Amino acid sequence: MRRRIVLRVLVAVGVISLAVFGTLVWVDSRARERQLGRLIERQALMLSDTIRNATRQSMLLNQRDMVHEIIEQIGRQEGLEKIRVYNKDGVVIYSPDPALVGTRADQRSEACDGCHAAGKPAVELAAGHRTRVFEDATGGRRLGVITPIANEADCEGAGCHLAPAAQRILGVLDVTVSLDDVDRTVAAGRRISVGLSLGGIAAISLLLVGLFHRWVGKPVESLLAATGKIAAGDLDHRVEVHRRDELGQLAESFNQMSARLSEARHQVYQSNKLASVGRLAAGIAHEINNPLTGVLTYSSFLLKRATDEETRQDLETIVHQTKRCRDIVRGLLDFARQVPPKKTRVDLNAVVERALDLVANQLSVQNIQVTRSLRPDLPSLSADATQLQQVAINLLVNAADAFESDDRQIFIATDLKRVNGDEVAEIKVADNGVGIPPANLGKIFEPFFTTKENRGTGLGLAVCWGIVSEHGGTIEVESQVGRGTTFTVRLPLVPRPAAVAGGEASA
Ligand SMILES: Nc1ncnc2c1ncn2[C@@H]1O[C@H](COP(=O)(O)OP(=O)(O)OP(=O)(O)O)[C@@H](O)[C@H]1O
Ligand SMILES: [Mg+2]
């Protein structure tokens, strides 16, 4: 495909350049030809007038040898083809070429047309009609100049003409000049121009092809390779972006697109996993719940009636562990219930405040300092307030569980952001706790992943993930071991389809 584009560019540049340069060369050589032609024409007219003036005196004195001599001398000049002096009958009476003397002119020929077009000789010849360009027998271009010889008052006394005073023209001087030099110069100039133009076109074309390859061919090639890799399933492949032009932007968009595809694939995988685990969990929880209730009821009953201390302690352990099992089963049912959100207009700040109230006691017992920054002009959004409250509580409880030192701080904030052109409401829960090791970051949203051994079920974040996804939002985590963790929940203000978004982790 790239080769075809390069070829097209090459052909287009070649054709356009040929047309442009061809026209320029043609116009230039025509102009040069006209200029040189005018120069030669002026010189020929001057020469012709010179011959007439130089021979005038000799003609008046009827010194025919002198006229011959002058015409012969001038006729030796280079480039001067013919000099002929015709009498009024059209017979050559003087010429350096003796073979021409005595020959007769055809008054109907083009050369004579200036004066004899109307059938009888014109008295005067306009300057523009004195010259003509024609091809001789060899095909060479020639310039002919006609100079009428007028019947002057002095001629009447010269005794050689019997012409009456009324006859104004006695004959004509016809000078023929070769245009071979002009044609050779123009042709040489044209050859140089054509050569330079072709060289220029070749250089421009090569340069353009080189630049095209560098600026377009190579980036398109790497984009093509990248699309091939993405099509083959390697969604983590990225194109290197070195430029800020349109192709650079295209590469950047391509990378963004692959990143979102990769993210979407991860979400689909996560959703499927959660859905199947959810179904399994729901089945198990349902089956376990009834026998568990029986065990708890009877063990509690026995505990109340037990008198022997050893038996009491054993029964207390049974009741405690059974209650823990019941909590796990409740958590499983919560997670598996997959209740679609009951959406109303929700004030996110109020949701966060209520969540904080509910965990306030636990936080203060653990000596945790809470800082809040709730954006006052946050618009309400369409959401399930109870579910969002559960998300906030789970994140706050996780943060509260993350402290090992005495410096215990939780920061909770709401904000309004623009992400990929969409307005989103944001909840951030940050702590300065132990942090999450990079190896665990990819697992924390998975159901039953916990580092809390007997204290946790590993369902809190999976539940958060499910709720946020149902709202068309995203949940992200950033964490550094020893420095703390930040969870960011983003919810679209204008509802989007569910399960498009989801969690993302970064260290
Ligand atoms: N703020 C945090 N700081 C450090 N680790 C965290 C934080 N939040 C979550 N984690 C890690 O993610 C794991 C999973 O959390 P999740 O809430 O899903 O389950 P859990 O808290 O272990 O159990 P529970 O079901 O009771 O919530 C936690 O066990 C913990 O290792
Ligand atoms: Mg938890």
Side-chain angles (χ1 to χ4, degrees):
M1 181 192 160
R2 182 179 62 80
R3 196 174 297 150
R4 269 202 354 240
I5 295 177
V6 169
L7 268 180
R8 278 185 198 178
V9 170
L10 197 63
V11 170
V13 169
V15 169
I16 292 170
S17 313
L18 269 178
V20 171
F21 281 104
T23 311
L24 287 179
V25 168
W26 183 79
V27 169
D28 177 63
S29 77
R30 290 283 301 160
R32 209 175 310 170
E33 193 179 329
R34 269 200 296 273
Q35 263 175 1
L36 284 172
R38 273 200 293 272
L39 200 71
I40 291 287
E41 187 180 2
R42 255 202 317 273
Q43 282 176 354
L45 282 167
M46 270 166 57
L47 184 72
S48 197
D49 290 346
T50 306
I51 295 170
R52 186 182 58 184
N53 295 338
T55 54
R56 181 174 174 275
Q57 190 63 24
S58 306
M59 280 192 186
L60 283 177
L61 298 175
N62 203 15
Q63 294 171 342
R64 287 171 179 258
D65 291 345
M66 187 58 93
V67 174
H68 269 299
E69 181 65 24
I70 294 169
I71 287 179
E72 206 157 312
Q73 289 277 343
I74 296 176
R76 285 195 201 117
Q77 275 188 38
E78 211 185 323
L80 205 60
E81 282 266 311
K82 281 181 199 164
I83 301 177
R84 286 170 293 186
V85 178
Y86 292 92
N87 66 11
K88 64 179 175 19
D89 299 320
V91 177
V92 178
I93 49 171
Y94 298 109
S95 173
D97 181 358
L100 294 176
V101 178
T103 56
R104 180 177 285 277
D106 178 4
Q107 288 184 351
R108 285 163 305 172
S109 72
E110 200 191 328
C112 304
D113 212 39
C115 304
H116 296 275
K120 53 177 187 164
V123 175
E124 274 174 20
L125 195 54
H129 289 105
R130 284 180 61 194
T131 57
R132 68 199 186 281
V133 174
F134 59 95
E135 281 185 7
D136 69 0
T138 62
R141 288 196 320 134
R142 303 289 177 257
L143 172 71
V145 181
I146 299 288
T147 309
I149 300 167
N151 185 11
E152 298 177 23
D154 293 343
C155 293
E156 288 162 39
C160 51
H161 298 295
L162 292 173
Q167 185 180 336
R168 302 276 303 274
I169 301 298
L170 297 178
V172 283
L173 168 66
D174 183 10
V175 175
T176 305
V177 178
S178 165
L179 291 178
D180 287 351
D181 264 0
V182 173
D183 292 344
R184 266 196 297 275
T185 310
V186 170
R190 195 179 298 145
R191 270 197 301 279
I192 291 173
S193 302
V194 168
L196 283 176
S197 302
L198 288 178
I201 290 170
I204 289 174
S205 303
L206 279 178
L207 195 74
L208 270 179
V209 168
L211 290 177
F212 187 86
H213 178 67
R214 194 188 153 94
W215 289 340
V216 181
K218 267 175 133 178
V220 168
E221 213 167 62
S222 73
L223 271 170
L224 272 179
T227 35
K229 291 216 162 152
I230 297 284
D234 179 7
L235 297 185
D236 294 326
H237 182 80
R238 298 288 177 270
V239 183
E240 282 182 36
V241 183
H242 302 293
R243 300 151 38 153
R244 303 200 57 77
D245 57 13
E246 289 88 338
L247 280 172
Q249 284 172 7
L250 183 65
E252 242 170 50
S253 316
F254 182 87
N255 285 345
Q256 279 170 13
M257 183 197 74
S258 340
R260 294 191 82 164
L261 270 178
S262 167
E263 197 186 309
R265 183 169 70 175
H266 179 70
Q267 305 314 323
V268 171
Y269 168 74
Q270 187 86 342
S271 297
N272 288 343
K273 200 161 77 177
L274 286 186
S276 51
V277 170
R279 275 195 299 277
L280 184 73
I284 295 172
H286 185 73
E287 292 302 316
I288 289 177
N289 211 21
N290 288 342
L292 209 57
T293 312
V295 172
L296 190 59
T297 313
Y298 283 104
S299 54
S300 305
F301 176 67
L302 284 175
L303 181 61
K304 272 188 199 154
R305 290 175 48 187
T307 47
D308 155 31
E309 187 53 29
E310 203 178 332
T311 314
R312 270 186 69 83
Q313 275 181 7
D314 289 346
L315 282 168
E316 262 172 11
T317 307
I318 292 173
V319 168
H320 178 74
Q321 292 300 334
T322 313
K323 277 186 178 162
R324 184 166 149 66
C325 283
R326 187 192 57 189
D327 289 346
I328 292 174
V329 167
R330 272 190 197 149
L332 273 175
L333 284 171
D334 269 355
F335 167 68
R337 211 181 288 138
Q338 306 272 337
V339 189
K342 290 193 192 93
K343 291 187 179 173
T344 51
R345 294 314 295 179
V346 171
D347 174 1
L348 205 59
N349 288 340
V351 168
V352 169
E353 297 274 14
R354 256 199 315 277
L356 277 169
D357 285 348
L358 287 171
V359 292
N361 202 28
Q362 183 188 341
L363 299 182
S364 81
V365 167
Q366 289 180 253
N367 251 335
I368 297 168
Q369 190 190 330
V370 179
T371 314
R372 65 187 82 181
S373 162
L374 307 183
R375 188 170 166 145
D377 60 342
L378 201 63
S380 65
L381 67 150
S382 169
D384 184 323
T386 317
Q387 289 189 353
L388 291 188
Q389 184 179 301
Q390 194 183 346
V391 171
I393 290 174
N394 285 358
L395 296 179
L396 284 166
V397 170
N398 277 353
D401 288 346
F403 296 115
E404 279 177 354
S405 72
D406 288 341
D407 179 19
R408 303 168 170 206
Q409 295 186 33
I410 292 179
F411 172 74
I412 185 160
T414 57
D415 206 348
L416 194 63
K417 288 274 165 68
R418 183 166 279 279
V419 179
N420 295 329
D422 297 332
E423 272 208 312
V424 294
E426 192 176 85
I427 314 171
K428 244 185 215 310
V429 179
D431 63 67
N432 62 342
V434 289
I436 304 170
N440 287 352
L441 271 177
K443 302 180 198 160
I444 55 170
F445 292 101
E446 289 182 7
F448 307 116
F449 176 82
T450 180
T451 54
K452 297 176 189 169
E453 298 181 348
N454 288 338
R455 289 184 299 118
T457 60
L459 288 171
L461 285 179
V463 169
C464 291
W465 194 93
I467 291 173
V468 173
S469 289
E470 279 296 326
H471 283 77
T474 60
I475 178 165
E476 287 174 12
V477 58
E478 280 172 74
S479 188
Q480 274 187 314
V481 174
R483 304 196 63 169
T485 306
T486 303
F487 281 90
T488 308
V489 174
R490 295 201 176 104
L491 300 161
L493 286 182
V494 178
R496 270 194 285 166
V500 176
E504 192 177 271
S506 61

